[in-house]
């Protein structure tokens, strides 16, 4: 028996869905559901046509018999006096009404119901529906879409799965604030009234921003309400053509580089990955996308978490020349060794997709964070933006008030560790919820091993 065309399309679509779940965590994979639903509509229309055809046959039969019986009952004996009419009456009641009964009782739903049953096992689950609903609430809270659901901005409860793991961080922040307050008081005493109004304004703004709970800072930055640089500080940020000390690759075609932030130093590279390369990376990654995981400090294992709503896949250099070329480009620009870096991670965010504030590097209370890799800590992060995002989706640094907005074809880079090897806590960052659009990124986590001669150690702990 040959399968209908729509059924073949359906089966091919289901093959791509069979290995996937958590649809709400990836817009890219949710697109498959649209084609699944389109095939379901095709199947439903086939069922409707079959029902309409059956009803049309029954209607024609009823119309014919209605006319016949109306004529026959006017003079029953005279009608049946004709032997052909008598035979036809016997034939109809003995055979044809039985055929009509079979027609009426025939089930045309089998094809549609069986296909619906096959597809249902690949449908989104209750978890997907709940996840999407929570995403809507998260978007309302973060972007103040509804005054009744504005977030209070309080820090997570101590039982929150990230709160305990971040205890050291918050203790560090409190100590830093105390020292900053002492330093401010001492400086003001020494300088007296010499501070300009601009500097006073900047200090006041920075101090007031630092006292805001992290959650609220995160949401403020996502809305574009972060710390504003003074014109003087802004004037120290530049854009330039960059050739990394006359690297042969960039002598004739230097890359476009612009400063995004000064402390920590965050730099963006423009037109650094082509549309064709982006499409190839997405093509390779999409079949492998799985729910993004985080490191559970209690169990030491990777697990999913509500504060990271995305799917990711890992691509190695030997899989495709495009990936190898991208790795070589990152090495040429940063001057850092890629052999000890992690593979290229590709991520696609889901409904209201986000990644709440976190560090890329392992802290001192996580000595075994990357032990299995044997390549040391994550010294730096390289992040490609592979799509424009209509609204939301910024990369924000709550501690310093920085916000970097997605722009397709660009990449941002920053060091997670000081030259001394100490972690730079100001690099704590987050991915804001995607309000409208589809956010694709890919990143390269670069490790310490192999960088000994490329980025020599510093003597100062925070230099």
């Amino acid at each position: 028996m040959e399968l209908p065309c729509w059924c073949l399309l359906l089966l091919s679509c289901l093959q791509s869905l069979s290995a996937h779940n958590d649809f709400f965590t990836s817009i890219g994979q949710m697109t498959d559901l649209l084609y699944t639903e389109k095939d379901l509509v095709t199947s439903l229309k086939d069922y409707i046509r079959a029902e309409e055809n059956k009803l049309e046959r029954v209607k024609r039969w009823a119309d014919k018999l209605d006319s016949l019986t109306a004529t026959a009952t006017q003079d029953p004996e005279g009608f049946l006096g004709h032997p052909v009419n008598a035979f036809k009456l016997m034939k109809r009641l003995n055979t044809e009404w039985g055929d009509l009964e079979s027609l009426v009782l025939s089930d045309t739903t089998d094809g549609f119901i069986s296909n619906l049953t096959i597809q249902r096992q690949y449908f989104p689950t209750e978890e997907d529906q709940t996840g999407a609903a929570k995403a809507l609430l998260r978007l309302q809270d973060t972007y103040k879409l509804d005054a009744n659901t504005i977030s209070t901005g309080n820090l997570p409860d101590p039982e929150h799965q990230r709160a305990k793991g971040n205890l050291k961080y918050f203790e560090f922040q409190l100590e830093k604030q105390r020292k900053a307050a002492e330093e401010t008081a001492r400086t003001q005493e020494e300088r007296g009234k010499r501070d300009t109004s601009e500097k006073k304004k900047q200090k006041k703004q920075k101090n007031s921003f630092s006292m805001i709970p992290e959650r609220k800072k995160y949401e403020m930055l996502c809305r574009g309400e972060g710390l504003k640089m003074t014109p003087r500080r802004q004037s120290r940020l530049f854009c330039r053509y960059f050739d990394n000390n006359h690297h042969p690759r960039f002598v004739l075609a230097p890359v476009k580089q612009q400063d995004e932030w000064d402390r920590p130093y965050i730099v963006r590279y423009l037109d650094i990955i082509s549309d064709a390369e982006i499409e190839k990376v997405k093509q390779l990654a999409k079949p492998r996308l799985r729910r993004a995981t985080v490191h559970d400090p209690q169990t030491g294992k990777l697990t999913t978490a509500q504060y990271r709503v995305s799917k990711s896949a890992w691509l190695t250099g030997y899989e495709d020349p495009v990936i190898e070329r991208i790795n070589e480009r990152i090495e040429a620009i940063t001057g850092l060794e890629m052999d000890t870096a992690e593979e290229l991670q590709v991520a696609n965010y889901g409904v209201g997709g986000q990644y709440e504030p976190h560090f890329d590097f392992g802290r001192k209370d996580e000595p075994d964070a990357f032990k299995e890799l044997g390549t040391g800590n994550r010294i730096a992060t390289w992040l490609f933006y592979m799509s424009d995002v209509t609204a939301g989706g910024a990369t924000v640094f709550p501690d310093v008030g920085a916000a970097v907005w997605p722009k397709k074809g660009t990449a941002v880079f920053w060091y997670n560790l000081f030259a001394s090897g100490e972690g730079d806590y100001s690099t704590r960052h987050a991915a804001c919820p995607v309000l409208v659009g589809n956010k694709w990124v890919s990143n390269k986590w670069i490790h310490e091993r192999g960088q000994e001669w490329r980025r020599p150690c510093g003597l100062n702990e925070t230099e």
Side-chain angles (χ1 to χ4, degrees):
M1 177 181 175
E2 292 187 0
L3 292 173
C5 181
W6 63 263
C7 192
L8 293 174
L9 291 172
L10 168 63
L11 291 174
S12 65
C13 186
L14 292 179
Q15 289 176 353
S16 68
L17 293 174
S18 60
H20 303 148
N21 50 21
D22 296 326
F23 285 103
F24 76 99
T25 64
S26 170
I27 294 295
Q29 286 189 335
M30 283 181 65
T31 57
D32 294 336
L33 295 178
L34 292 176
Y35 294 103
T36 299
E37 188 169 48
K38 182 179 180 181
D39 288 332
L40 265 179
V41 172
T42 301
S43 176
L44 180 61
K45 286 184 175 180
D46 286 343
Y47 158 67
I48 292 172
R49 279 193 292 269
E51 282 289 299
E52 289 176 339
N53 180 59
K54 183 176 76 172
L55 289 174
E56 182 61 29
R57 292 170 63 188
V58 173
K59 185 176 181 297
R60 287 198 302 267
W61 172 263
D63 289 343
K64 183 181 73 171
L65 266 294
D66 182 50
S67 175
L68 180 64
T69 55
T71 301
T73 54
Q74 289 180 3
D75 181 12
E77 291 186 0
F79 180 80
L80 293 175
H82 195 297
V84 174
N85 290 341
F87 168 75
K88 287 186 175 180
L89 175 62
M90 298 300 106
K91 180 175 180 290
R92 282 197 305 274
L93 294 174
N94 182 56
T95 304
E96 294 180 9
W97 276 100
D99 293 340
L100 180 64
E101 180 183 22
S102 297
L103 174 62
V104 172
L105 293 176
S106 64
D107 189 358
T108 60
T109 66
D110 285 350
F112 173 68
I113 294 300
S114 62
N115 286 311
L116 182 60
T117 302
I118 291 173
Q119 292 190 62
R120 185 173 286 115
Q121 59 185 311
Y122 306 108
F123 278 10
T125 63
E126 187 70 26
E127 180 186 359
D128 286 302
Q129 184 173 334
T130 301
K134 288 181 177 179
L136 293 178
L137 294 175
R138 181 166 60 246
L139 292 173
Q140 287 180 329
D141 291 345
T142 302
Y143 296 106
K144 292 187 175 181
L145 301 178
D146 186 331
N148 296 322
T149 56
I150 294 175
S151 172
T152 62
N154 293 328
L155 289 173
D157 186 88
E159 294 304 315
H160 186 278
Q161 55 183 321
R162 286 190 72 81
K164 291 183 178 179
N166 291 327
L167 180 60
K168 295 284 187 182
Y169 167 72
F170 293 117
E171 290 175 346
F172 169 85
Q173 290 299 305
L174 289 173
E175 179 63 18
K176 189 173 76 170
Q177 290 173 13
R178 184 187 65 79
K179 290 182 177 180
E182 293 176 352
E183 180 65 24
T184 299
R186 185 165 52 251
T187 301
Q188 288 178 343
E189 184 178 352
E190 292 173 355
R191 294 185 178 180
K193 297 182 179 179
R194 289 182 298 170
D195 284 340
T196 64
S197 59
E198 182 180 317
K199 288 183 179 179
K200 286 181 179 180
K201 183 179 178 181
Q202 176 70 10
K203 286 182 180 180
K204 183 178 180 180
Q205 184 185 33
K206 184 175 181 180
N207 289 337
S208 62
F209 186 79
S210 66
M211 297 303 292
I212 298 174
E214 182 185 57
R215 178 71 195 184
K216 193 165 185 176
K217 286 193 289 186
Y218 160 62
E219 293 179 345
M220 289 174 63
L221 289 168
C222 290
R223 295 192 298 268
E225 302 171 3
L227 187 67
K228 304 300 181 184
M229 285 187 175
T230 62
R232 182 176 180 181
R233 186 178 174 190
Q234 183 75 37
S235 69
R236 298 192 183 104
L237 301 181
F238 298 95
C239 57
R240 63 190 68 82
Y241 284 103
F242 178 76
D243 63 9
N244 196 12
N245 295 322
H246 305 293
H247 190 286
R249 185 188 293 263
F250 306 122
V251 170
L252 296 180
V255 296
K256 289 178 279 188
Q257 183 192 70
Q258 70 179 36
D259 299 333
E260 289 286 338
W261 204 257
D262 51 359
R263 296 184 299 275
Y265 184 52
I266 306 169
V267 64
R268 187 195 295 261
Y269 296 93
L270 286 74
D271 302 322
I272 203 63
I273 183 171
S274 68
D275 288 349
E277 289 172 326
I278 288 173
E279 289 307 311
K280 186 62 177 181
V281 170
K282 290 166 62 176
Q283 177 190 344
L284 293 171
K286 191 173 180 180
R288 309 185 202 176
L289 289 174
R290 298 294 181 270
R291 178 75 182 269
T293 56
V294 296
H295 180 263
D296 188 331
Q298 294 181 343
T299 64
K301 298 180 179 179
L302 293 176
T303 182
T304 60
Q306 291 301 316
Y307 55 82
R308 188 180 190 186
V309 182
S310 65
K311 286 189 175 183
S312 60
W314 299 86
L315 303 180
T316 59
Y318 59 79
E319 292 182 69
D320 192 278
V322 169
I323 308 302
E324 180 62 27
R325 187 163 66 245
I326 288 173
N327 290 339
E328 291 174 352
R329 187 178 307 149
I330 297 173
E331 179 167 345
I333 292 174
T334 63
L336 298 176
E337 176 63 63
M338 290 297 113
D339 287 346
T340 56
E342 295 175 47
E343 303 299 349
L344 187 70
Q345 181 182 219
V346 182
N348 178 228
Y349 288 79
V351 182
Q354 62 164 4
Y355 191 178
E356 291 182 7
H358 62 281
F359 299 103
D360 282 351
F361 65 91
R363 276 81 71 208
K364 288 184 177 180
D365 59 336
E366 300 176 318
D368 297 332
F370 307 109
K371 184 177 181 180
E372 70 278 6
L373 297 179
T375 54
N377 211 340
R378 288 173 175 167
I379 192 174
T381 295
W382 177 283
L383 177 65
F384 283 114
Y385 292 113
M386 302 199 302
S387 67
D388 291 315
V389 180
T390 306
T395 305
V396 298
F397 296 73
D399 187 43
V400 298
V404 180
W405 299 91
K407 181 175 176 57
K408 185 179 181 181
T410 70
V412 291
F413 173 79
W414 67 85
Y415 279 102
N416 297 306
L417 306 180
F418 293 113
S420 63
E422 292 294 319
D424 184 352
Y425 281 78
S426 68
T427 62
R428 184 174 172 83
H429 60 285
C432 293
V434 176
L435 182 56
V436 181
N438 187 7
K439 182 180 177 183
W440 284 89
V441 299
S442 58
N443 68 278
K444 197 79 172 172
W445 280 313
I446 306 168
H447 283 248
E448 291 178 291
R449 298 294 178 265
Q451 319 303 345
E452 292 80 2
W453 301 107
R454 297 180 181 230
R455 194 197 189 208
C457 294
L459 298 179
N460 190 305
E461 184 175 330
T462 59
E463 73 174 12

